[in-house]
């Protein structure tokens, strides 16, 4: 899949996620690999591109296994979660 299609998926999904909660964005393994049918390589590219975009918008971005704090609670990005972004 080319970057243009990946960027399209990012833009389309981010709109809905920001409507739901603009301060907490979550992408799961199921969403990326099954729902959007991204290969492992496409998933890696998706995560690289969305990380750059979200960091430029003032988010802290965390990947599987990373620890972070949200609403005064210590949390970990779970095995079924590919990425979580928290607005600064």
């Amino acid at each position: 899949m080319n970057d243009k299609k990946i960027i399209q998926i990012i833009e389309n999904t981010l709109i809905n996620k920001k409507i739901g909660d603009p301060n907490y964005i979550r992408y799961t393994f199921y969403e990326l690999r099954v729902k959007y049918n991204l290969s492992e390589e496409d998933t890696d590219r998706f995560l690289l591109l969305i990380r750059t975009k979200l960091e430029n918008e003032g988010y802290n971005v965390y990947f599987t296994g990373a620890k972070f704090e949200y609403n005064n609670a210590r949390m970990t990005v779970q095995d079924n979660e590919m990425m979580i972004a928290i607005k600064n």
Side-chain angles (χ1 to χ4, degrees):
M1 185 179 295
N2 63 35
D3 279 1
K4 187 175 181 180
K5 288 185 180 190
I6 293 172
I7 290 168
Q8 221 171 15
I9 293 170
I10 289 171
E11 290 174 355
N12 293 341
T13 59
L14 263 181
I15 290 168
N16 292 330
K17 289 184 181 289
K18 286 181 178 178
I19 289 170
D21 185 350
N23 298 313
Y24 185 91
I25 295 171
R26 175 178 172 256
Y27 283 94
T28 64
F29 179 89
Y30 174 82
E31 277 180 279
L32 300 181
R33 296 298 300 275
V34 178
K35 186 174 178 182
Y36 303 117
N37 197 29
L38 297 180
S39 68
E40 190 171 339
E41 183 180 314
D42 291 338
T43 300
D44 290 344
R45 189 70 181 143
F46 176 97
L47 293 171
L48 178 72
L49 293 171
I50 198 165
R51 176 187 194 172
T52 302
K53 178 174 180 52
L54 290 171
E55 285 178 343
N56 288 338
E57 292 179 10
Y59 286 84
N60 290 326
V61 179
Y62 306 95
F63 297 102
T64 307
K67 298 188 181 316
F68 63 97
E69 193 168 310
Y70 183 66
N71 286 341
N72 297 319
R74 298 277 303 148
M75 302 173 88
T76 302
V77 183
Q78 299 301 307
D79 289 340
N80 66 324
E81 298 170 322
M82 302 293 289
M83 185 210 80
I84 291 178
I86 308 293
K87 184 78 168 172
N88 286 332

